[in-house]
């Protein structure tokens, strides 16, 4: 299959991420794809700060350290998770934004992804809106949901 030449995969640094990434081994059509593993790190903006400028956390200086650590973790996890027959390209990406959903969707549009893979949570709280649902509505590419297996 050649419909998924550029694939953006949403990742969240949770304890079950390595297990979820291993489910990508079963998707043989990814073996020749360009895979973008993207994590959006949430930032917090305080409109008041010292003087006229707002405060944004994490600060710019801290973002480099967070980005380097996150990319190293993503590279390690993705190399272990991919099938031995994988010959494509892996691009790890750490983004920073107050709005994680829209930032991720913007990235999907910028790279002109053919497919987006989302690992939805089992359940989310009453006031949480679904990340996958947002991406599905706002991205122009196909979206594939890989749900976690139920453990009994």
């Amino acid at each position: 299959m050649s419909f998924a030449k550029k694939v953006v995969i949403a990742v969240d640094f949770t304890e079950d991420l390595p297990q979820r990434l291993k489910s990508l081994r079963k998707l043989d059509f990814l073996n020749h794809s360009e895979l973008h593993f993207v994590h959006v790190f949430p930032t917090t903006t305080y409109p008041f700060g010292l003087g006229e400028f707002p405060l944004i956390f994490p600060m710019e200086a801290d973002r480099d350290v967070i980005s380097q650590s996150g990319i190293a973790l993503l590279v390690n996890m993705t190399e272990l998770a991919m099938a031995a027959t994988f010959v494509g390209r892996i691009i790890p990406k750490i983004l920073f934004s107050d709005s994680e959903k829209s930032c991720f969707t913007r990235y999907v549009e910028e790279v002109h992804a053919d497919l987006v893979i989302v690992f939805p949570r089992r359940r989310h709280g009453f006031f949480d809106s679904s990340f996958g649902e947002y991406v599905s509505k706002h991205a122009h590419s196909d979206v594939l949901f890989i749900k976690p297996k139920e453990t009994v």
Side-chain angles (χ1 to χ4, degrees):
M1 275 189 200
S2 63
F3 80 94
K5 291 183 180 188
K6 277 193 183 179
V7 180
V8 176
I9 302 168
V11 294
D12 196 3
F13 294 122
T14 57
E15 59 189 39
D16 63 342
L17 179 62
Q19 187 63 32
R20 289 178 150 211
L21 288 176
K22 285 182 183 176
S23 64
L24 297 175
R25 289 181 183 182
K26 300 174 187 171
L27 305 176
D28 291 335
F29 64 88
L30 294 178
N31 286 341
H32 298 282
S33 299
E34 179 178 289
L35 304 180
H36 296 248
F37 289 89
V38 180
H39 174 75
V40 181
F41 192 90
T43 59
T44 304
T45 302
Y46 295 102
F48 56 90
L50 302 172
E52 302 174 19
F53 303 104
L55 293 175
I56 301 173
F57 292 99
M59 302 287 228
E60 280 297 321
D62 298 333
R63 290 183 187 193
D64 289 337
V65 174
I66 293 169
S67 184
Q68 290 173 2
S69 299
I71 287 174
L73 185 62
L74 280 175
V75 167
N76 187 30
M77 284 187 188
T78 54
E79 286 177 353
L80 294 173
M82 297 311 296
T85 57
F86 179 75
V87 293
R89 183 174 171 207
I90 293 177
I91 301 172
K93 191 77 171 174
I94 304 291
L95 304 172
F96 294 87
S97 177
D98 281 346
S99 175
E100 299 166 62
K101 298 172 188 175
S102 63
C103 179
F104 180 82
T105 306
R106 232 181 359 262
Y107 182 81
V108 168
E109 297 302 317
E110 286 172 8
V111 299
H112 304 291
D114 302 312
L115 178 68
V116 177
I117 297 177
V118 177
F119 300 102
R121 294 180 288 184
R122 252 188 215 118
R123 297 177 189 216
H124 51 80
F126 182 71
F127 292 107
D128 284 347
S129 61
S130 170
F131 177 86
E133 180 183 356
Y134 182 91
V135 172
S136 178
K137 284 182 181 178
H138 294 89
H140 292 100
S141 56
D142 293 326
V143 180
L144 174 65
F145 293 96
I146 301 178
K147 295 183 178 183
K149 291 186 178 183
E150 293 292 326
T151 55
V152 182

